[in-house]
Amino acid sequence: MASMKSKSGKCSNFGNCATADARATVEVPGGLDFVCNECGKPLLLSDTGLQSGGSKTLLVGGLLLAMLLVGGGAAWFLLADTAAPMPPPAMPAPATPAVVAPAPPALPAPPTPQTEAPTRPAHGHCSPADERAGLCRTTP
């Protein structure tokens, strides 16, 4: 059983149909064939926009979007004022010269055991350093 609702369409028989050349929309009552009244060719269903209930859905969706935008903007402004300010960037401490501790006083050298000082060898080939180390033979 055909729908009793009327449909609208456009004829595409350009050059042979005055309705198609005029790009006019043809209203066809429900239950009749969906053809052009002038030439009898099938019509192309024209977009009639939103069907029943579609405008209500669009209106509700638009209102929800507007409420979200207004609420989000208000929250952003309110939270921006109460947010803690960011601390200034930390500056590195100025370089200070390193404090050098004074060297402890030098300890006196341990006492060397006193021995009999060797006498200079007769041959004269011993250096004073060798004499201090005790490497030279002494004459009796």
Side-chain angles (χ1 to χ4, degrees):
M1 181 170 186
S3 171
M4 295 310 256
K5 209 171 178 186
S6 67
K7 296 181 189 178
S8 61
K10 292 187 178 185
C11 183
S12 62
N13 193 9
F14 296 105
N16 298 324
C17 178
T19 305
D21 291 338
R23 291 177 171 60
T25 302
V26 178
E27 289 287 328
V28 179
L32 296 179
D33 290 335
F34 195 61
V35 294
C36 179
N37 295 338
E38 187 175 331
C39 66
K41 295 287 183 179
L43 296 173
L44 297 175
L45 185 62
S46 64
D47 187 17
T48 59
L50 299 173
Q51 300 297 325
S52 63
S55 60
K56 290 180 184 178
T57 305
L58 184 61
L59 179 64
V60 170
L63 287 175
L64 285 175
L65 180 64
M67 287 174 35
L68 282 174
L69 288 175
V70 169
W76 185 71
F77 279 114
L78 291 175
L79 293 178
D81 290 340
T82 61
M86 292 181 57
M91 298 295 290
T96 57
V99 178
V100 179
L107 297 175
T112 55
Q114 293 291 334
T115 58
E116 217 176 273
T119 59
R120 195 168 265 263
H123 50 76
H125 293 286
C126 196
S127 68
D130 288 342
E131 285 178 17
R132 283 190 298 270
L135 300 175
C136 299
R137 283 191 256 158
T138 58
T139 56

